């Protein structure tokens, strides 16, 4: 009986909820939802391009798309004043993922540059979301 309990306990401990990319997508959608309508209106981006980024990791170089991500990231406070990803925002969209993954994403996406603010923020999003996708299935 003790062996059975030990095996069951070990199974429960070993199984921990693994955050999925779909969960991160959902968290991201929720975080930017209040800003999406105004940013869509402001940038006139084709919503299909946004979906392609989120669902297919198809990072189109469309200027309106870049500015959309600049807009929602700015309004959602996803970026610090020094143009680095905000730890609290990354942790929020990562949910129960290990803190080390959030830290790695932030560290690896420091110093992303671009010609314009839209280019830079889109580049930071691309860097972060690509890394998250590579680490979560």
């Amino acid at each position: 009986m003790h062996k059975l309990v030990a095996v069951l306990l070990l199974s429960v401990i070993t199984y921990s909820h693994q955050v999925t990319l779909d969960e991160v997508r959902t968290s991201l959608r929720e975080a930017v939802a209040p800003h999406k309508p105004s940013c869509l209106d402001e940038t006139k981006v084709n919503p299909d391009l946004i979906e392609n980024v989120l669902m297919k990791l198809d990072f189109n170089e469309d200027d309106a798309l870049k500015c959309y991500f600049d807009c929602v990231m700015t309004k959602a406070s996803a970026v610090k004043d020094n143009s680095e990803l905000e730890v609290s925002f990354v942790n929020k969209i990562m949910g129960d993922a290990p803190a080390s993954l959030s830290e790695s994403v932030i560290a690896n996406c420091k110093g992303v540059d671009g010609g314009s603010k839209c280019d830079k923020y889109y580049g930071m999003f691309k860097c972060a979301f690509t890394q998250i996708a590579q680490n979560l299935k």
Side-chain angles (χ1 to χ4, degrees), residues 5-19:
V5 171
V7 169
L8 288 174
L9 184 59
L10 183 59
S11 297
V12 169
I13 292 171
T14 303
Y15 172 79
S16 62
H17 175 73
Q18 297 294 320
V19 175

Side-chain angles (χ1 to χ4, degrees), residues 2-135:
H2 290 291
K3 285 184 180 182
L4 177 60
V5 171
V7 169
L8 288 174
L9 184 59
L10 183 59
S11 297
V12 169
I13 292 171
T14 303
Y15 172 79
S16 62
H17 175 73
Q18 297 294 320
V19 175
T20 66
L21 184 55
D22 283 338
E23 290 171 318
V24 172
R25 284 183 182 112
T26 299
S27 295
L28 179 61
R29 288 178 199 278
E30 290 170 359
V32 303
H35 315 294
K36 185 175 180 178
S38 63
C39 291
L40 284 170
D41 188 52
E42 183 180 314
T43 63
K44 308 293 188 226
V45 66
N46 177 343
D48 291 341
L49 294 177
I50 300 165
E51 283 304 303
N52 287 343
V53 166
L54 297 178
M55 300 308 295
K56 300 176 185 173
L57 299 177
D58 178 12
F59 292 96
N60 189 300
E61 292 299 314
D62 180 77
D63 287 337
L65 179 64
K66 292 176 184 180
C67 289
Y68 170 81
F69 279 97
D70 168 22
C71 182
V72 293
M73 288 174 69
T74 299
K75 291 183 177 187
S77 301
V79 182
K80 296 180 187 181
D81 291 338
N82 62 356
S83 296
E84 291 180 6
L85 291 169
E86 180 61 59
V87 174
S88 61
F89 182 82
V90 176
N91 287 339
K92 179 179 180 177
I93 66 165
M94 295 295 292
D96 293 331
S100 60
L101 179 55
S102 294
E103 292 165 8
S104 173
V105 167
I106 291 167
N108 288 326
C109 296
K110 276 185 181 177
V112 170
D113 224 354
S116 68
K117 185 174 174 245
C118 292
D119 289 331
K120 183 171 186 160
Y121 281 34
Y122 185 64
M124 288 190 318
F125 178 81
K126 180 179 180 178
C127 175
F129 202 65
T130 300
Q131 286 197 22
I132 292 166
Q134 289 171 349
N135 285 282

